Amino acid sequence: MGVKQRVVLITGATSGIGAGIAHRFGQCGALVAVAGRNVERGMEVVESIQRMGTRAMFVEHELKDELAPLRVISEVEASLGPVEILVHSAGWSVFKPTTDVTPDLFDQIFQRNVKGLYFLTAAALPGMIRRRHGRVILISSIAALRGINGHSLYCASKAALDQLACAWAAEYARYGINFNTVAPGMVATPMTAELTADPQLVAAVKAATPDGRLGTPEDIAHAVLFLADDNALHVQGNTIVVDGGWIVPPGGFA
């Protein structure tokens, strides 16, 4: 059936990977709810989708607000209709050696990367169960699959998403709801700007990547769109790695 006229809610959609995903859904005729904290950037994404001739809206979403999940779902469903596809692209990272991590920083990262999406999913599930149809797609990271120096919290929080997809699939697949993750490699976005501004680091990543380039938000959006389509009906609890082969061992074998 594709995603035309289906309602999709995308968190972290005001820039970077999330905005790329929102644009791709808009191009395919979905009804797009752009969720995020930055109203100005969010409205720019909404307006660009509306210029494609499809409906879109912005909904303010603060991951630290414990009352946000029910409000966000309610606002989207009142404006566009039942949320059928939920894409979690919001996330945050900070470089810190483990010995410098404070309990407050630990809580902040897991609040933004895990807790917020957990309860937004919980708010969307009753409707999906009732309709016996839904797609939940979590944007994980290559960091969930390989250690990254100085990013222990980010690695752990993204690995949690992969396991949530598995656990939710075991719990709710019988209701016609699919749960999967997409794990990007290094993608040039505002969140990775500090890293991608280092030409030596970028050159090293490209050299270690079989297809020789960094990823783009569009690369990630294509994988998300596949998982949102009914052609992926039998894909459950899986992670699609979109990294140009960065995770492949040198020479292609261990």
Side-chain angles (χ1 to χ4, degrees), residues 8-23 31-46 49 56-63 68-69 71-73 75-76 80 83 85-91 116-117 120:
V8 55
L9 168 59
I10 307 163
T11 69
T14 60
S15 66
I17 289 174
I21 293 169
H23 284 125
L31 311 182
V32 184
V34 173
R37 291 181 296 167
N38 190 305
V39 178
E40 182 178 355
R41 289 204 312 256
M43 287 307 301
E44 288 175 358
V45 175
V46 167
I49 294 171
M57 65 175 289
F58 174 75
V59 56
E60 193 168 358
H61 180 226
E62 171 55 67
L63 291 168
R71 174 187 57 78
V72 168
I73 296 299
E75 285 186 24
V76 173
L80 298 179
V83 174
I85 303 163
L86 177 58
V87 182
H88 293 291
S89 186
L117 72 80
L120 184 58

Side-chain angles (χ1 to χ4, degrees), residues 74-253:
S74 177
E75 285 186 24
V76 173
E77 297 201 337
S79 295
L80 298 179
V83 174
E84 299 171 89
I85 303 163
L86 177 58
V87 182
H88 293 291
S89 186
W92 184 60
S93 180
V94 61
F95 175 85
K96 282 284 184 182
T98 297
T99 51
D100 292 343
V101 170
T102 64
D104 181 61
L105 180 59
F106 186 102
D107 290 343
Q108 284 186 54
I109 287 185
F110 273 81
Q111 171 76 48
R112 297 184 185 190
N113 292 358
V114 183
K115 186 177 179 180
L117 72 80
Y118 187 100
F119 287 102
L120 184 58
T121 301
L125 277 173
M128 292 181 177
I129 291 169
R130 187 169 57 251
R131 294 185 296 273
R132 303 191 75 81
H133 181 277
R135 302 287 180 268
V136 179
I137 302 157
L138 317 178
I139 303 303
S140 177
S141 170
I142 196 72
L145 304 172
R146 61 185 298 175
I148 297 179
N149 181 24
H151 287 277
S152 58
L153 288 181
Y154 184 72
C155 292
S157 66
K158 289 300 185 177
L161 304 193
D162 293 345
Q163 288 304 308
L164 280 176
C166 291
W168 282 335
E171 194 170 357
Y172 295 108
R174 63 184 180 275
Y175 297 107
I177 308 170
N178 290 59
F179 303 85
N180 293 286
T181 63
V182 174
M186 185 175 287
V187 178
T189 68
M191 193 175 91
T192 62
E194 188 175 343
L195 296 174
T196 55
D198 181 344
Q200 289 185 317
L201 176 62
V202 171
V205 172
K206 288 181 177 179
T209 303
D211 77 358
R213 66 176 178 87
L214 299 185
T216 67
E218 291 73 24
D219 291 323
I220 314 307
H222 290 314
V224 171
L225 196 72
F226 163 71
L227 292 172
D229 191 278
D230 283 348
N231 287 326
L233 188 63
H234 204 49
V235 182
Q236 279 283 12
N238 279 293
T239 298
I240 296 180
V241 179
V242 185
D243 69 343
W246 190 24
I247 200 171
V248 176
F253 56 88

